[in-house]
Coordinates of all heavy atoms in Angstrom, one line a residue:
V1430 N 13.3 22.6 27.1 CA 11.9 22.5 26.8 C 11.6 22.6 25.3 O 12.1 23.6 24.7 CB 11.0 23.5 27.6 CG1 9.6 23.6 27.2 CG2 11.2 23.2 29.1
N1431 N 10.8 21.7 24.7 CA 10.5 21.9 23.3 C 9.0 22.0 23.0 O 8.6 22.1 21.8 CB 11.1 20.7 22.5 CG 10.6 19.4 22.9 OD1 9.7 19.3 23.7 ND2 11.2 18.3 22.3
A1432 N 8.2 22.0 24.0 CA 6.7 22.3 23.9 C 6.3 23.0 25.1 O 6.8 22.7 26.2 CB 6.0 21.0 23.7
L1433 N 5.4 23.9 25.0 CA 5.1 24.8 26.1 C 3.6 25.0 26.3 O 2.9 25.3 25.3 CB 5.8 26.2 25.8 CG 5.6 27.2 26.9 CD1 6.3 26.8 28.2 CD2 6.2 28.6 26.4
V1434 N 3.2 24.9 27.6 CA 1.9 25.2 28.0 C 1.9 26.6 28.7 O 2.6 26.7 29.8 CB 1.2 24.2 28.9 CG1 -0.2 24.7 29.4 CG2 1.0 22.9 28.1
I1435 N 1.3 27.6 28.2 CA 1.2 28.9 28.9 C -0.1 28.9 29.6 O -1.2 28.9 29.0 CB 1.4 30.1 27.9 CG1 2.7 30.0 27.1 CG2 1.3 31.4 28.6 CD1 2.9 31.1 26.1
F1436 N 0.0 29.1 30.9 CA -1.2 29.0 31.8 C -1.5 30.4 32.4 O -0.7 31.0 33.1 CB -1.0 28.0 32.9 CG -2.1 28.0 33.9 CD1 -3.4 27.5 33.6 CD2 -1.8 28.4 35.2 CE1 -4.4 27.5 34.5 CE2 -2.8 28.3 36.2 CZ -4.1 28.0 35.8
L1437 N -2.7 30.9 32.1 CA -3.1 32.1 32.7 C -3.7 31.8 34.1 O -5.0 31.4 34.1 CB -4.1 32.9 31.8 CG -3.5 33.6 30.6 CD1 -3.3 32.6 29.5 CD2 -4.5 34.7 30.1
G1438 N -3.0 31.9 35.1 CA -3.5 31.7 36.5 C -4.3 32.8 37.0 O -5.1 32.6 37.9
N1439 N -4.2 34.0 36.4 CA -5.1 35.1 36.6 C -5.1 35.9 35.3 O -4.8 35.3 34.2 CB -4.8 36.0 37.8 CG -3.4 36.7 37.7 OD1 -3.0 37.2 36.6 ND2 -2.7 36.8 38.8
F1440 N -5.5 37.1 35.3 CA -5.7 37.8 34.0 C -4.6 37.7 33.1 O -4.8 37.3 31.9 CB -6.0 39.3 34.4 CG -6.6 40.1 33.2 CD1 -7.9 40.3 33.0 CD2 -5.7 40.6 32.2 CE1 -8.4 41.0 31.9 CE2 -6.2 41.4 31.2 CZ -7.5 41.5 31.0
G1441 N -3.4 37.9 33.5 CA -2.3 37.8 32.6 C -2.0 38.9 31.6 O -3.0 39.3 31.0
P1442 N -0.8 39.3 31.4 CA -0.5 40.4 30.5 C -0.5 39.8 29.0 O 0.4 39.1 28.7 CB 0.8 40.9 30.9 CG 1.5 39.7 31.5 CD 0.4 38.9 32.1
E1443 N -1.4 40.3 28.1 CA -1.5 39.7 26.8 C -0.3 40.0 26.0 O 0.1 39.1 25.2 CB -2.8 40.2 26.1 CG -3.0 41.6 25.9 CD -3.7 42.4 27.1 OE1 -3.8 41.7 28.1 OE2 -3.9 43.5 26.9
G1444 N 0.4 41.1 26.1 CA 1.5 41.5 25.3 C 2.7 40.5 25.6 O 3.2 39.8 24.7
P1445 N 3.2 40.5 26.8 CA 4.3 39.5 27.2 C 3.9 38.1 27.0 O 4.7 37.3 26.5 CB 4.6 39.9 28.7 CG 4.1 41.3 28.8 CD 2.9 41.4 27.9
T1446 N 2.6 37.7 27.2 CA 2.2 36.3 27.0 C 2.4 35.9 25.6 O 3.0 34.9 25.2 CB 0.8 36.1 27.5 OG1 0.7 36.5 28.9 CG2 0.3 34.7 27.3
T1447 N 1.9 36.7 24.6 CA 2.0 36.4 23.2 C 3.4 36.6 22.7 O 3.8 35.9 21.7 CB 0.9 37.2 22.4 OG1 1.1 38.6 22.6 CG2 -0.5 36.7 22.7
L1448 N 4.1 37.5 23.3 CA 5.6 37.6 22.9 C 6.3 36.4 23.2 O 7.1 35.9 22.3 CB 6.2 38.8 23.6 CG 7.6 39.2 23.3 CD1 7.7 39.6 21.8 CD2 8.1 40.3 24.2
L1449 N 6.0 35.7 24.4 CA 6.7 34.5 24.7 C 6.3 33.4 23.7 O 7.1 32.7 23.2 CB 6.3 34.0 26.1 CG 6.9 32.7 26.5 CD1 8.4 32.7 26.5 CD2 6.4 32.3 27.9
A1450 N 5.0 33.4 23.4 CA 4.5 32.4 22.4 C 5.2 32.6 21.0 O 5.5 31.6 20.4 CB 3.0 32.4 22.3
Q1451 N 5.4 33.8 20.6 CA 6.0 34.1 19.4 C 7.5 33.7 19.4 O 7.9 33.2 18.4 CB 5.8 35.6 19.1 CG 6.3 36.0 17.7 CD 6.0 37.5 17.5 OE1 6.0 38.3 18.4 NE2 5.8 37.8 16.2
K1452 N 8.2 33.9 20.4 CA 9.6 33.7 20.5 C 9.9 32.2 20.7 O 11.0 31.8 20.3 CB 10.3 34.5 21.6 CG 10.3 36.1 21.3 CD 10.9 36.8 22.4 CE 11.3 38.2 22.0 NZ 12.6 38.2 21.4
F1453 N 9.0 31.5 21.3 CA 9.3 30.1 21.6 C 9.2 29.3 20.3 O 8.3 29.4 19.5 CB 8.2 29.6 22.6 CG 8.5 28.1 23.0 CD1 9.6 27.8 23.7 CD2 7.7 27.1 22.5 CE1 9.8 26.5 24.1 CE2 7.9 25.8 22.9 CZ 9.0 25.5 23.7
A1454 N 10.2 28.4 20.0 CA 10.4 27.7 18.8 C 9.5 26.5 18.6 O 9.2 26.1 17.5 CB 11.9 27.3 18.6
G1455 N 8.9 26.0 19.7 CA 8.1 24.8 19.6 C 6.6 25.1 19.7 O 6.2 26.2 19.7
P1456 N 5.8 24.0 19.8 CA 4.4 24.2 19.8 C 4.0 24.8 21.2 O 4.6 24.5 22.2 CB 3.8 22.7 19.6 CG 5.0 21.8 19.8 CD 6.3 22.6 19.6
V1457 N 2.9 25.6 21.2 CA 2.4 26.2 22.3 C 0.9 26.0 22.6 O 0.2 26.0 21.6 CB 2.7 27.8 22.2 CG1 2.1 28.5 23.4 CG2 4.2 28.1 22.1
M1458 N 0.6 25.7 23.8 CA -0.8 25.7 24.2 C -1.2 26.8 25.1 O -0.4 27.2 26.0 CB -1.1 24.3 24.9 CG -2.5 24.2 25.4 SD -2.8 22.6 26.2 CE -3.8 23.1 27.6
L1459 N -2.4 27.3 25.0 CA -2.9 28.3 26.0 C -4.1 27.8 26.8 O -4.9 27.1 26.2 CB -3.3 29.6 25.2 CG -2.2 30.4 24.4 CD1 -2.9 31.4 23.6 CD2 -1.2 30.9 25.4
A1460 N -4.1 28.0 28.1 CA -5.2 27.6 28.9 C -5.3 28.7 30.0 O -4.4 29.4 30.4 CB -5.0 26.2 29.4
A1461 N -6.5 28.6 30.7 CA -6.7 29.7 31.8 C -7.4 28.9 32.9 O -8.1 28.0 32.8 CB -7.5 30.8 31.2
A1462 N -7.2 29.6 34.1 CA -7.8 29.1 35.3 C -9.3 29.5 35.5 O -9.7 30.6 35.1 CB -7.0 29.6 36.5
A1463 N -10.0 28.5 35.9 CA -11.4 28.8 36.3 C -11.3 29.3 37.8 O -10.5 29.0 38.6 CB -12.3 27.6 36.3
E1464 N -12.3 30.2 38.2 CA -12.3 30.6 39.6 C -12.8 29.4 40.4 O -13.8 28.8 40.1 CB -13.2 31.8 39.7 CG -12.9 33.0 38.8 CD -11.5 33.5 39.1 OE1 -10.9 33.2 40.2 OE2 -11.0 34.4 38.3
E1465 N -12.1 29.2 41.5 CA -12.5 28.0 42.3 C -13.7 28.3 43.2 O -14.6 27.4 43.3 CB -11.3 27.7 43.3 CG -10.1 27.2 42.5 CD -9.0 28.2 42.4 OE1 -9.3 29.4 42.7 OE2 -7.9 27.9 42.0
T1466 N -13.8 29.4 43.8 CA -14.9 29.6 44.8 C -15.4 31.1 44.7 O -14.6 31.9 44.2 CB -14.5 29.4 46.2 OG1 -13.5 30.4 46.6 CG2 -13.9 28.0 46.5
A1467 N -16.5 31.4 45.1 CA -17.0 32.8 45.1 C -16.2 33.6 46.1 O -15.9 34.8 45.8 CB -18.5 32.8 45.6

Side-chain angles (χ1 to χ4, degrees):
V1430 171
N1431 62 4
L1433 183 63
V1434 174
I1435 301 176
F1436 172 68
L1437 284 80
N1439 64 38
F1440 192 94
E1443 60 272 10
T1446 300
T1447 54
L1448 184 61
L1449 177 63
Q1451 184 175 33
K1452 289 175 163 279
F1453 185 69
V1457 173
M1458 175 182 140
L1459 296 170
E1464 302 299 349
E1465 293 100 348
T1466 65

